[in-house]
Amino acid sequence: QVQLVESGGGLVQAGGSLRLSCAASGLTFSSYAMGWFRQAPGKEREFVAAISASGGSTYYADSVKGRFTISRDNAKNTVYLQMISLKPEDTAVYYCAADRSTERLRLGLRGYAYWGQGTQVTVSS
């Protein structure tokens, strides 16, 4: 059974940093592109970042470009999201996703992906 488990969320002041982790099991991790999405109350789930299976290509939403960095460690079956200069509008539940297609993830085509249960990120002002 495929499992994605996020961790690292929490409460942080504006301007602060957090590092999210997503540990994957039950799949051939190196064959999957990985991504992060987020959802705030009353809003649609939105694309944040994606990384190709090899780690050679990364993609970011304009709203986080320059502040967030996605990376992966295939030896540890783990993908990370380093977030700096956090803003209150970054407050959301952050979800990890796995898909064989990097393009589907970066285009926000969510129906094909495996999903974690999410981790809450709250940024206070």
Side-chain angles (χ1 to χ4, degrees):
Q1 185 180 6
V2 173
Q3 270 198 311
L4 304 175
V5 181
E6 301 96 334
S7 61
L11 194 155
V12 65
Q13 290 184 253
S17 302
L18 283 173
R19 190 194 197 202
L20 307 183
S21 298
C22 172
S25 61
L27 51 72
T28 303
F29 186 73
S30 61
S31 296
Y32 281 80
M34 301 296 296
W36 290 94
F37 291 72
R38 67 188 182 186
Q39 188 168 23
K43 297 184 179 179
E44 295 293 321
R45 191 172 298 188
E46 65 175 352
F47 169 78
V48 175
I51 186 166
S52 61
S54 69
S57 299
T58 58
Y59 306 89
Y60 299 92
D62 288 343
S63 59
V64 307
K65 198 169 296 181
R67 300 188 298 119
F68 291 11
T69 303
I70 189 170
S71 62
R72 66 191 294 157
D73 186 340
N74 283 359
K76 295 182 177 180
N77 286 7
T78 301
V79 64
Y80 305 94
L81 187 68
Q82 179 68 56
M83 306 183 293
I84 65 171
S85 301
L86 283 162
K87 306 173 180 180
E89 52 261 46
D90 295 319
T91 296
V93 177
Y94 283 70
Y95 296 91
C96 176
D99 197 319
R100 295 291 293 265
S101 169
T102 315
E103 288 298 296
R104 284 203 293 263
L105 285 179
R106 78 172 189 88
L107 293 172
L109 301 176
R110 297 179 280 116
Y112 299 91
Y114 296 105
W115 295 92
Q117 289 193 255
T119 185
Q120 176 71 47
V121 172
T122 303
V123 184
S124 63
S125 57

